[in-house]
Amino acid sequence: MTRVMPRSVHQAIFKYLPDSWGDFYDRESRVSYNMKVYIWNSDRLQGVNKKRLLNEVRNEIRQFRDRGGKVLGFGSLATDKINLEEYSILTPKCAENPQVPDIISNVSPLTFVCNKCHGVTTFNTSQEYLQYPKNRYCKKNDCGGELKQIGLVYACSCGWASPVYSGKCSNPAHGNKFIKFYSGDYKYTCSKDGKTFEMYKFCPECKQRLAPKNINSGDIFIPFNFTIIELLNNQEENFLIDNVDAPFIVVANWLNRISDDEYNKLVKSVMNDDDNSNYEELYQQYFNQLLSNGLPKEQAETIAKNMAASNDKNKQKLELVNNVKEKLTGDHLNYQYGSRKLAISLVEYRTIINSDVKLTIEQGIEQAMAQNNIFTKNEYLDIYAKYGFSRIEACGKIPLLNSVFGYTRRESDPKALPGGSLTLRALKEERVGTKNIYGVKLNTEGILFEMDRARVVKWLMDNEILDEDLAPDLEDEEELKLWFLNNIDLSGITTFSNIDRSTHLYTAHVYNLIHSVCHALIKESEEFSGLDKNSLGEYLFPNIPAFFIYCQNSQGTSLGSMFSLYTSVLDKWIARAKESVNKCVFDPICIDRDRACLGCLYINEISCKHFNKDLDRRNLIGYTDVLTDNRTYGYWED
C-alpha cells in the first residue's frame, strides 16, 4: 500500500536522503512512524557547471581525508584526475504522481512494542505492516494494546547502519515468543524465564561494538553538503577553473585596477584563445599609418615598434598579472587550490553586488521614508558607524545551488574519532556504475552585509591578535583589501570542525566575528521578516569580510520578505540583534564557558553553513575573565 507525504525539494536534500531515517505522517490514518529512505527517483539537473561542482566535492573529500578520515565509494573524485562521465548531478523529479513518488521509503524499524503488555512484535516487510490497520494493535494473547515503533537503530562510524530487531531468548523453546521491551532499558527480557539480553551488536563491516541510538538523535545520518553561488557566465566559471592566471585577474578587478568591462573582455579573450600577442598586427598598422603621414621609414619603424609594444594586449595582461602577484604574499596563495578558491569567492561576491535586482542604502532610505517607517536619513545611515558595516544592500535573483554528495554516521569531524575510524560514504547509486550528487537550484533574495575593514583590523589589534606593526594602513583601501586576501585562508575553513587557531590565527578570529554577527541577526529575524528563522540561510565571505543572509525557500522570495525588511525595519532588526546577544538564558555558563549556545547564537543546522562552529558572544559584547583578568573587546561593545 502506497502512502504519500509531501515535502519540499529543499527539505528533501537535507532530511530525506537515501540510507537516512526520517519521520512520516500518514494523513489517511493520522499515524506517525519512522521510515528509512530507500532510493530517490530523480532527473538530471540541467544548467549546472559539472566541472566546477565536482571540483568543489573533490576539495571537500580532500579536507576530510587530511583530517584523518576515510572515504568510500567516490570513484575518481578521491583521486587527482576526475572522470566527469562517472558522475550524475541529479534532482528530484517533482512529478507529483503518488504512484511514482520522488522519494521511496519503507517503514523502519519493523520492530514494535505494545504500550500495554510490553510484548514485542516484528513485521517482515513494510508492505506487511501497512496492509491492514489492525496491525497497529497487539495480537499477543488478545491484548489489543497499541503498537509503538521501537525507534532505535545501530549506526557505526564506518557508515554501516541497521534498525533494531527483536531479541531471542537463549532457550530455543522460548525464541522470541515471550520477549518484552521496556523503554529506556536498551535490553530485551524473556518473560518466561526472566533472562535479559543487552541490545548491543557488532558491526558486520568493521567489527565495532555498537549500542542502539535513538533514531532522532541527529547523528545517525549526517549529510555532507555545501552551497555555491552559480556564476551566470559559464565561460567565466571555466576561466576560473582552467586558467592559471585567473586568480590574479580577478584580484586586479577587486582592487579596482581594472574595471568590470575590462575584466569581462579579458575573460572572453582568454577563453576564446585570442589572448596571444597582437604585436605584429599592431606594428604593421602603426608603421603604415606613420608612413602615410610622411615620416621617414627608419623613424616610422622605431615609433611603430614602441607603440605596438606598449599596446600589445598580451603584454598588458602579463604586466597586470605580475603586478598583482607581487602583492599576494599569503602562503596559501602559492598553491593553485588556495588562489583558485580565493578567486571563486571574489567572483561569487561580485555576482551578489552586481545583481540586476538590488536596493542600495540610499534607495532603502527613500522607500522607508516614503512608507513613514523612518523619519530621517540618519536612522539608516547611522547603522554603518554604530555597528561596523561599510555596505548593506538588499539583493535579489541570486542563483544558488545546494548540493549533497555523501554522509557520515555518529560524527562529522574525523579528529573527534581518532584512529581513522570515521568514514565519509558516497550516496547510494540510482544507476549502477554512476555516482550521484544531488542538487537543488534556487533563485533567492537576501541582505548583504559588508564589514568595515578598518574597524575589523582595529578590533583585531585591540584584542592583541594582530600586532600594530603588521597591520595595514587603515586609511588605504587597497592595503586593507590586500591584508584580508593575504591573511584569510579559505582552505583552513572546514564545514564540520572549528578552525585551527594555531595554524590559521587571523582566519579563525575574522571568521568567528562575522559568523557571530550573522547568527545574531538570523536569530532575531523572525519577528521582522515574517519568515521562520529556519527558512533563512547564510553565505560567508571572510576574505572580504562580508556575509549574505538569504531566504532558503521560494515562498519567502516570492513574497519579497527580505526586501520588505530592508525598507521597513532594518535599523530595528540590527538594534534588536545587538541587544539580544547581551544576555543568554544559560548565562553565566554560556558566556563564561561555552561562549555560544542554543539560547543565544546557535541556529538550525540547515541554516548554518558551518554547523554552529566558530561562534563567540564575547567577540560581540566584550568580556573580562575574572580569574585571569584577560579582556576581550567586543565589536559591538559601547
Side-chain angles (χ1 to χ4, degrees), residues 200-224:
Y200 291 108
K201 185 179 182 69
F202 287 93
C203 173
E205 296 188 13
C206 72
K207 311 307 178 188
Q208 283 192 67
R209 187 170 182 258
L210 305 174
K213 294 183 70 69
N214 188 295
I215 211 164
N216 297 314
S217 63
D219 60 356
I220 300 300
F221 183 97
I222 304 171
F224 271 54

Side-chain angles (χ1 to χ4, degrees), residues 450-579:
E450 184 178 300
M451 309 291 281
D452 182 331
R453 279 180 277 277
R455 182 157 163 179
V456 173
V457 169
K458 188 176 183 308
W459 174 79
L460 291 170
M461 290 191 290
D462 289 343
N463 285 293
E464 300 182 352
I465 298 160
L466 173 63
D467 193 295
E468 189 174 348
D469 294 338
L470 300 175
D473 182 348
L474 299 185
E475 303 297 324
D476 189 320
E477 184 63 15
E478 181 172 297
E479 264 201 52
L480 284 164
K481 284 184 174 181
L482 282 167
W483 188 89
F484 283 94
L485 300 186
N486 284 320
N487 289 283
I488 306 303
D489 182 0
L490 299 180
S491 63
I493 304 166
T494 56
T495 305
F496 290 95
S497 57
N498 286 310
I499 300 167
D500 187 347
R501 295 191 177 193
S502 65
T503 55
H504 298 94
L505 178 66
Y506 301 141
T507 303
H509 282 91
V510 171
Y511 189 96
N512 193 300
L513 174 63
I514 66 169
H515 197 205
S516 300
V517 172
C518 183
H519 275 224
L521 288 165
I522 290 176
K523 285 283 282 190
E524 296 302 319
S525 62
E526 196 166 337
E527 177 184 342
F528 298 99
S529 69
L531 297 171
D532 186 297
K533 57 181 176 288
N534 295 334
S535 67
L536 295 180
E538 64 178 4
Y539 208 94
L540 275 63
F541 300 92
N543 53 330
I544 300 295
F547 58 89
F548 182 57
I549 297 176
Y550 64 90
C551 184
Q552 292 195 104
N553 58 49
S554 55
Q555 180 184 5
T557 301
S558 63
L559 291 171
S561 302
M562 300 304 286
F563 274 76
S564 176
L565 184 158
Y566 187 76
T567 60
S568 57
V569 288
L570 179 65
D571 56 332
K572 298 176 181 64
W573 176 35
I574 300 174
R576 177 70 64 81
K578 179 186 176 184
E579 179 186 349

